[in-house]
């Protein structure tokens, strides 16, 4: 069974940092691009960051660029999100997401085919 | 690209047909468009990708359509378990993507 298990969330003060982890199982982690998606209380889904299978390419939403860092350890099947300079507006449930892909010549197209259950980050003094 | 979903809330009876709209601020390849269902306290679930391709295990009462800037998710005959929030999503040319703000489908 494909599973994503997030951890590392909690209550943190503005300006501090947190590191989220996502333990993956049930699929070949090193072959899949991965993402983090967040959802503020009562709000819609917001893409945060993505990383390609070998970790060489990373992408960030403008709202977190320069503050958050996505990384992965393919030897340990784990995805990370380092969150620095936390702000109140970073308060959200953070979901780890596996990107599925389908081929339509001449390229691959992506979607999120597996979601974790989420970990809650609260930024407040 | 900004995705705008309408209506914000849709109130229908079980058994009725639901039509949810997702409009993009500029033309989007249909191959990049997906739909998700989310119930309270749960993670989202993939319903449709490539605008019209149902994900594995999704009942055939769910169908997606559209092209260019206008996309639609249709639920042909609502079951009690279908009442939830639905979000559209578009991928860019890389691994960046965005979501619409969501449509809440509630029981009338």
């Amino acid at each position: 069974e494909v599973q994503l298990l997030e951890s590392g969330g909690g209550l943190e003060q503005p300006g501090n940092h947190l590191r989220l982890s996502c333990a993956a199982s049930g699929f070949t982690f090193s072959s899949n691009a991965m993402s983090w998606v967040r959802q503020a209380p009562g709000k819609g889904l917001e893409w945060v960051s993505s990383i390609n299978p070998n970790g060489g390419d990373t992408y960030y939403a403008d709202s977190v660029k320069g503050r958050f860092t996505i990384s992965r350890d393919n030897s340990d099947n784990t995805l990370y999100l380092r969150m620095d300079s936390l702000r109140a507006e970073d308060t959200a449930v953070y979901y780890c997401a596996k990107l599925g892909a389908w081929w339509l010549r001449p390229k691959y197209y992506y979607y999120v085919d597996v979601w974790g259950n989420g970990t809650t980050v609260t930024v407040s003094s | 690209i900004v995705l705008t979903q309408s209506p914000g809330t849709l109130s229908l009876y079980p058994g009725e047909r639901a039509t949810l709209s997702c409009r993009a601020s500029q033309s989007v390849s249909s191959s990049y468009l997906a739909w998700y269902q989310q119930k309270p306290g749960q993670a989202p679930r993939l319903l449709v990708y490539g605008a019209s391709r149902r994900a594995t295990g999704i009942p055939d009462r769910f169908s997606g359509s559209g092209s260019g800037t206008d996309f639609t998710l249709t639920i042909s005959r609502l079951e009690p378990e279908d009442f939830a929030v639905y979000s559209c999503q578009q991928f860019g040319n890389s691994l960046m993507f965005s979501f619409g703000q969501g449509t809440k489908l509630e029981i009338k």
Side-chain angles (χ1 to χ4, degrees):
Chain A
E1 180 190 3
V2 176
Q3 281 194 318
L4 300 172
L5 185 60
E6 303 95 336
S7 60
L11 173 62
E12 198 51 76
Q13 293 187 343
N16 285 1
H17 66 268
L18 275 174
R19 189 179 81 158
L20 306 184
S21 300
C22 170
S25 60
F27 65 100
T28 306
F29 180 73
S30 59
S31 296
N32 286 92
M34 301 291 294
S35 297
W36 289 97
V37 175
R38 69 185 180 184
Q39 187 168 36
K43 302 296 185 182
L45 300 166
E46 179 189 15
W47 169 73
V48 173
S49 183
S50 297
I51 188 167
N52 72 339
N54 66 17
D57 293 316
T58 57
Y59 307 85
Y60 299 94
D62 287 343
S63 57
V64 306
K65 197 174 296 182
R67 300 189 299 121
F68 289 11
T69 303
I70 191 171
S71 62
R72 63 192 298 160
D73 183 346
N74 285 346
S75 66
D76 201 28
N77 293 344
T78 304
L79 177 72
Y80 299 101
L81 185 69
R82 166 83 181 196
M83 309 164 64
D84 292 317
S85 303
L86 284 165
R87 304 169 180 169
E89 54 264 36
D90 295 322
T91 294
V93 174
Y94 284 73
Y95 294 102
C96 173
K98 170 183 172 288
L99 299 189
W102 63 289
W103 173 256
L104 181 65
R105 189 186 297 271
K107 61 183 290 185
Y108 281 101
Y109 295 88
Y110 297 94
Y111 50 86
V112 178
D113 63 349
V114 181
W115 300 76
N117 287 328
T119 186
T120 300
V121 172
T122 303
V123 183
S124 174
S125 55
Chain B
I1 297 177
V2 176
L3 300 177
T4 302
Q5 293 186 240
S6 61
T9 301
L10 182 59
S11 299
L12 293 171
Y13 293 104
E16 288 194 298
R17 179 185 186 90
T19 302
L20 287 67
S21 173
C22 176
R23 177 162 290 177
S25 58
Q26 56 187 277
S27 185
V28 173
S29 167
S30 60
S31 301
Y32 288 129
L33 202 287
W35 289 92
Y36 300 85
Q37 176 195 67
Q38 188 177 25
K39 297 180 180 179
Q42 297 184 16
R45 177 175 71 143
L46 175 69
L47 298 175
V48 169
Y49 64 95
S52 60
R53 298 168 183 256
R54 262 190 308 275
T56 302
I58 302 302
D60 60 7
R61 64 180 182 273
F62 291 90
S63 63
S65 63
S67 63
T69 60
D70 292 304
F71 298 89
T72 300
L73 177 71
T74 302
I75 310 172
S76 59
R77 188 175 171 82
L78 286 165
E79 298 287 341
E81 63 267 27
D82 297 337
F83 292 91
V85 175
Y86 292 84
S87 300
C88 59
Q89 175 209 36
Q90 69 85 27
F91 263 87
N93 282 321
S94 59
L95 298 179
M96 304 171 72
F97 53 92
S98 62
F99 293 94
Q101 83 279 17
T103 289
K104 182 180 180 181
L105 178 58
E106 64 177 23
I107 298 178
K108 196 169 184 178

